[in-house]
Amino acid sequence: MKLSDLCSYYKEKRDVSTLDRNHYVSTENMLPNKSGVYGGVSLPSTTQTSAFQKGDVLVSNIRPYFKKIWLATFDGGCSNDVLVFRVKKGVPASFLYYVLANDSFFDYATATSKGTKMPRGDKSAIMDYDVPDLPYDVQVKIATILSSLDKKIALNEEINHNLREMLSEVFKRNFIVLKQRKNWSSCPLSNLITEIIGGDWGKELPSGKHTEEVYCIRGTDIPLIEQGNKGKMPVRYIQPRNYNSKKLFDGDIVIEVSGGSPTQSTGRATIIKKTLLDRFNQKIVCTNFCRALKPRDGYSSLLYFYWLFLYEKGVFFSYENGTTGIKNLDLDGVINNEIIHIPPFEQVEEFEQLCCKTFAQIHANGEENEKLALLRDTLLPQLMSGELEVSLIDF
């Protein structure tokens, strides 16, 4: 049967004034590769936006090959570039989600999309997508099998979110809101940085002097790495001499210095830990749209969380330049003008040790999630096609 037999587009609107930052979804905060959404983006400047409700399936209609999809867990609003699918009576919402989460759907949406630079899915063609005509009880069983894996992934993500929130609260309590600062020193951020390293995008394939195979962190990878995942860092080839001067080490902080949007400043950041490097054979650099800060020994976590604190406050908007649509962060201006208050080293060291242990757990959960996602994505097409009989699986 066709996708239109299962669902329809939901086209209702709602007032932006009824939303908050955590209940608005756009292509900006939808994560690639079926990784859901993250909250906290700015609301649009329009008075109305598209509406969705819990149980709807949201899919980014821009560049379908990014595979941005989410089964809504709450009511909210979304941008016009997000398609809202609502199941018809008698169809499990979770089954529709897995129909659309199948890689074959994204391949189809990409093949039938319109435009070259920023292709968009053809809404009419999408509704003609072929769907297996399965009995209701089989639909339920497939959804149950796959959702059990997704629930474990979601639990790990919640744990990781709570661990990061815990570190953030410890940081703010001990280094920001503390009123007693006896024996503390003050200095610009630059005093905690020994070196700033540029990125290298290299080449897609080895050629000439570009023979060193590396993984390259882009700005789009930062939200996933922050969750404990590897992201989808591409493999690139750079010159060996550049690798020796640009490779990342435990404790380095990667900053996105170019990009952003009217509602999201540049300056997104992630910290590089050994547990992440080990998953990439230690060979990671950042793209040339990013910079890597090398902190003084022992001050990595303090600098990283202070940077996040400034980002959340919107400080970096005032350090941006560029008038062509792509904003650039005045990194030198930030590190030379923003002042940090530093406690005795013993207190800094205690926080550093707590962060090391916590990030090790975050990355362990992230690695488990990657294995669970691989299992889910392997089972999904086999269950949909009937290659794997659902009655043979007991969950």
Side-chain angles (χ1 to χ4, degrees):
M1 57 184 177
K2 301 297 182 182
L3 182 60
S4 57
D5 295 320
L6 286 183
C7 64
S8 58
Y9 293 121
Y10 186 63
K11 301 177 182 179
E12 297 298 322
K13 299 288 184 178
R14 66 178 293 174
D15 293 338
V16 173
S17 60
T18 65
L19 295 169
D20 61 46
R21 288 163 52 92
N22 292 314
H23 290 80
Y24 179 70
V25 175
S26 72
T27 58
E28 179 183 310
N29 65 325
M30 295 189 77
L31 295 169
N33 298 296
K34 313 168 193 175
S35 299
V37 302
Y38 65 93
V41 296
S42 299
L43 295 172
S45 57
T46 55
T47 57
Q48 284 196 321
T49 189
S50 297
F52 66 86
Q53 68 183 33
K54 182 178 180 180
D56 289 341
V57 181
L58 277 60
V59 176
S60 172
N61 199 38
I62 297 179
R63 294 171 175 163
Y65 49 81
F66 281 149
K67 304 176 184 178
K68 294 184 175 183
I69 184 171
W70 179 57
L71 177 60
T73 56
F74 52 77
D75 298 351
C78 61
S79 71
N80 292 330
D81 289 321
V82 176
L83 301 179
V84 180
F85 296 89
R86 180 163 296 177
V87 292
K88 293 184 176 179
K89 187 176 181 180
V91 178
S94 53
F95 177 74
L96 172 64
Y97 170 76
Y98 290 112
V99 165
L100 298 176
N102 197 343
D103 284 347
S104 64
F105 168 75
F106 290 109
D107 292 342
Y108 172 84
T110 300
T112 57
S113 61
K114 297 179 178 179
T116 53
K117 186 176 181 180
M118 190 176 289
R120 283 175 165 79
D122 183 315
K123 294 182 180 179
S124 296
I126 284 174
M127 280 300 176
D128 284 334
Y129 174 66
D130 288 328
V131 178
D133 187 3
L134 301 173
Y136 177 81
D137 61 328
V138 175
Q139 293 179 7
V140 171
K141 186 67 180 290
I142 289 175
T144 300
I145 293 169
L146 298 174
S147 63
S148 66
L149 297 171
D150 274 328
K151 287 177 181 177
K152 175 56 178 171
I153 291 173
L155 177 60
N156 282 342
E157 289 175 347
E158 183 179 1
I159 291 171
N160 281 356
H161 173 76
N162 292 338
L163 289 173
R164 288 187 58 84
E165 286 293 304
M166 179 270 293
L167 289 178
S168 180
E169 288 304 312
V170 171
F171 165 77
K172 291 174 183 177
R173 184 177 68 246
N174 291 340
F175 302 105
I176 299 297
V177 300
L178 188 65
K179 296 180 180 180
Q180 300 297 326
R181 290 180 173 171
K182 186 178 181 181
N183 299 325
W184 285 36
S185 60
S186 299
C187 66
L189 291 177
S190 57
N191 283 26
L192 297 184
I193 300 168
T194 62
E195 188 178 0
I196 299 177
I197 298 176
D200 191 335
W201 186 233
K203 296 185 179 296
E204 185 177 358
L205 299 172
S207 63
K209 295 181 179 180
H210 294 76
T211 58
E212 190 74 44
E213 183 182 87
V214 298
Y215 291 92
C216 193
I217 294 180
R218 307 156 298 173
T220 189
D221 297 309
I222 287 176
L224 289 173
I225 295 172
E226 290 290 88
Q227 291 182 351
N229 301 327
K230 291 194 305 185
K232 292 295 179 180
M233 299 183 211
V235 173
R236 306 293 293 184
Y237 293 87
I238 65 176
Q239 297 183 36
R241 67 175 184 176
N242 284 355
Y243 171 66
N244 291 331
S245 62
K246 298 176 184 293
K247 62 182 177 181
L248 300 178
F249 291 90
D250 181 31
D252 290 349
I253 301 168
V254 174
I255 308 293
E256 184 182 35
V257 297
S258 185
S261 73
T263 58
Q264 174 187 295
S265 76
T266 50
R268 289 190 296 184
T270 190
I271 189 169
I272 305 300
K273 305 302 293 184
K274 184 179 182 301
T275 44
L276 177 68
L277 290 167
D278 287 344
R279 291 156 72 181
F280 289 94
N281 298 318
Q282 306 293 320
K283 289 194 170 185
I284 302 180
V285 300
C286 62
T287 178
N288 45 15
F289 286 102
C290 296
R291 297 291 183 270
L293 309 181
K294 286 194 171 295
R296 283 168 46 190
D297 287 344
Y299 288 88
S300 177
S301 296
L302 176 66
L303 178 61
Y304 167 66
F305 276 97
Y306 195 79
W307 189 277
L308 295 186
F309 174 71
L310 295 177
Y311 181 82
E312 291 169 0
K313 288 177 62 179
V315 169
F316 299 138
F317 280 111
S318 60
Y319 288 98
E320 292 179 332
N321 52 55
T323 58
T324 60
I326 297 179
K327 301 186 296 181
N328 298 306
L329 180 68
D330 178 9
L331 185 58
D332 288 339
V334 174
I335 65 175
N336 289 319
N337 292 304
E338 292 298 324
I339 304 300
I340 186 171
H341 303 285
I342 305 175
F345 183 71
E346 293 77 13
Q347 188 173 342
V348 177
E349 186 177 37
E350 182 180 353
F351 181 63
E352 183 75 25
Q353 292 174 354
L354 173 64
C355 288
C356 286
K357 293 178 182 178
T358 306
F359 278 118
Q361 182 60 57
I362 288 173
H363 288 140
N365 290 340
E367 186 171 12
E368 181 180 36
N369 276 0
E370 287 168 0
K371 294 176 180 177
L372 291 170
L374 177 61
L375 176 59
R376 176 201 63 203
D377 294 343
T378 301
L379 289 174
L380 198 161
Q382 296 180 10
L383 291 170
M384 288 292 181
S385 66
E387 178 184 350
L388 188 61
E389 176 56 52
V390 295
S391 62
L392 298 178
I393 301 178
D394 185 18
F395 264 73

Short mmCIF file of all heavy atoms in Angstrom, two decimals, residues 183 296-299 342-352:
data_model
loop_
_atom_site.label_atom_id
_atom_site.label_comp_id
_atom_site.label_asym_id
_atom_site.label_seq_id
_atom_site.Cartn_x
_atom_site.Cartn_y
_atom_site.Cartn_z
N ASN A 183 41.45 34.55 48.23
CA ASN A 183 42.62 33.91 47.60
C ASN A 183 42.36 33.50 46.15
O ASN A 183 43.12 32.70 45.59
CB ASN A 183 43.09 32.68 48.40
CG ASN A 183 43.52 33.03 49.80
OD1 ASN A 183 44.08 34.10 50.03
ND2 ASN A 183 43.23 32.14 50.76
N ARG A 296 45.70 25.03 29.78
CA ARG A 296 46.79 24.70 30.70
C ARG A 296 46.46 23.40 31.43
O ARG A 296 45.29 23.07 31.63
CB ARG A 296 46.97 25.83 31.73
CG ARG A 296 47.68 27.06 31.20
CD ARG A 296 47.56 28.24 32.16
NE ARG A 296 47.84 27.87 33.55
CZ ARG A 296 47.61 28.68 34.59
NH1 ARG A 296 47.08 29.88 34.38
NH2 ARG A 296 47.89 28.30 35.81
N ASP A 297 47.49 22.67 31.79
CA ASP A 297 47.31 21.39 32.48
C ASP A 297 46.42 21.56 33.71
O ASP A 297 46.68 22.44 34.56
CB ASP A 297 48.65 20.80 32.91
CG ASP A 297 49.44 20.26 31.73
OD1 ASP A 297 48.84 20.07 30.65
OD2 ASP A 297 50.67 20.04 31.88
N GLY A 298 45.36 20.74 33.77
CA GLY A 298 44.48 20.75 34.93
C GLY A 298 43.31 21.70 34.84
O GLY A 298 42.42 21.66 35.69
N TYR A 299 43.28 22.56 33.81
CA TYR A 299 42.24 23.57 33.73
C TYR A 299 41.25 23.33 32.59
O TYR A 299 40.43 24.19 32.27
CB TYR A 299 42.87 24.97 33.56
CG TYR A 299 43.53 25.47 34.82
CD1 TYR A 299 44.86 25.18 35.09
CD2 TYR A 299 42.83 26.23 35.75
CE1 TYR A 299 45.49 25.64 36.24
CE2 TYR A 299 43.43 26.69 36.91
CZ TYR A 299 44.77 26.39 37.15
OH TYR A 299 45.37 26.84 38.29
N ILE A 342 39.48 32.51 39.25
CA ILE A 342 40.08 31.19 39.43
C ILE A 342 40.37 30.93 40.90
O ILE A 342 41.07 31.71 41.56
CB ILE A 342 41.40 31.08 38.63
CG1 ILE A 342 41.14 31.43 37.16
CG2 ILE A 342 41.98 29.68 38.75
CD1 ILE A 342 42.39 31.47 36.34
N PRO A 343 39.84 29.83 41.43
CA PRO A 343 40.09 29.47 42.83
C PRO A 343 41.46 28.80 42.96
O PRO A 343 42.15 28.56 41.97
CB PRO A 343 38.97 28.49 43.13
CG PRO A 343 38.72 27.82 41.82
CD PRO A 343 38.95 28.88 40.77
N PRO A 344 41.86 28.45 44.16
CA PRO A 344 43.11 27.69 44.34
C PRO A 344 43.09 26.41 43.51
O PRO A 344 42.02 25.81 43.29
CB PRO A 344 43.13 27.40 45.84
CG PRO A 344 42.32 28.50 46.45
CD PRO A 344 41.24 28.80 45.46
N PHE A 345 44.26 25.96 43.09
CA PHE A 345 44.35 24.84 42.16
C PHE A 345 43.73 23.57 42.73
O PHE A 345 43.20 22.75 41.97
CB PHE A 345 45.81 24.58 41.78
CG PHE A 345 45.95 23.49 40.75
CD1 PHE A 345 45.55 23.68 39.44
CD2 PHE A 345 46.46 22.24 41.12
CE1 PHE A 345 45.66 22.66 38.50
CE2 PHE A 345 46.58 21.22 40.19
CZ PHE A 345 46.18 21.43 38.87
N GLU A 346 43.78 23.38 44.05
CA GLU A 346 43.22 22.17 44.64
C GLU A 346 41.74 22.03 44.32
O GLU A 346 41.24 20.93 44.04
CB GLU A 346 43.42 22.18 46.16
CG GLU A 346 44.86 22.07 46.62
CD GLU A 346 45.62 23.38 46.48
OE1 GLU A 346 44.95 24.44 46.25
OE2 GLU A 346 46.85 23.35 46.57
N GLN A 347 41.03 23.13 44.31
CA GLN A 347 39.60 23.10 44.00
C GLN A 347 39.38 22.83 42.51
O GLN A 347 38.46 22.09 42.14
CB GLN A 347 38.97 24.44 44.40
CG GLN A 347 37.44 24.46 44.29
CD GLN A 347 36.85 25.74 44.84
OE1 GLN A 347 37.50 26.47 45.60
NE2 GLN A 347 35.61 26.03 44.47
N VAL A 348 40.21 23.40 41.67
CA VAL A 348 40.14 23.15 40.23
C VAL A 348 40.42 21.69 39.94
O VAL A 348 39.73 21.05 39.14
CB VAL A 348 41.13 24.06 39.46
CG1 VAL A 348 41.11 23.73 37.97
CG2 VAL A 348 40.81 25.52 39.69
N GLU A 349 41.43 21.14 40.59
CA GLU A 349 41.83 19.75 40.37
C GLU A 349 40.72 18.79 40.79
O GLU A 349 40.47 17.78 40.12
CB GLU A 349 43.11 19.46 41.14
CG GLU A 349 43.70 18.09 40.86
CD GLU A 349 45.02 17.89 41.59
OE1 GLU A 349 45.14 18.37 42.74
OE2 GLU A 349 45.91 17.24 41.01
N GLU A 350 40.05 19.08 41.87
CA GLU A 350 38.95 18.22 42.34
C GLU A 350 37.83 18.18 41.31
O GLU A 350 37.26 17.12 41.02
CB GLU A 350 38.43 18.74 43.68
CG GLU A 350 37.32 17.89 44.28
CD GLU A 350 36.83 18.44 45.61
OE1 GLU A 350 37.44 19.40 46.13
OE2 GLU A 350 35.83 17.91 46.13
N PHE A 351 37.51 19.34 40.73
CA PHE A 351 36.47 19.40 39.72
C PHE A 351 36.92 18.65 38.46
O PHE A 351 36.13 17.95 37.81
CB PHE A 351 36.16 20.86 39.38
CG PHE A 351 35.07 21.03 38.35
CD1 PHE A 351 33.78 20.60 38.59
CD2 PHE A 351 35.36 21.63 37.12
CE1 PHE A 351 32.78 20.77 37.63
CE2 PHE A 351 34.37 21.80 36.17
CZ PHE A 351 33.08 21.36 36.42
N GLU A 352 38.18 18.77 38.10
CA GLU A 352 38.72 18.08 36.92
C GLU A 352 38.58 16.57 37.07
O GLU A 352 38.19 15.86 36.12
CB GLU A 352 40.19 18.46 36.72
CG GLU A 352 40.83 17.87 35.48
CD GLU A 352 40.38 18.56 34.20
OE1 GLU A 352 39.98 19.74 34.26
OE2 GLU A 352 40.42 17.91 33.14
#
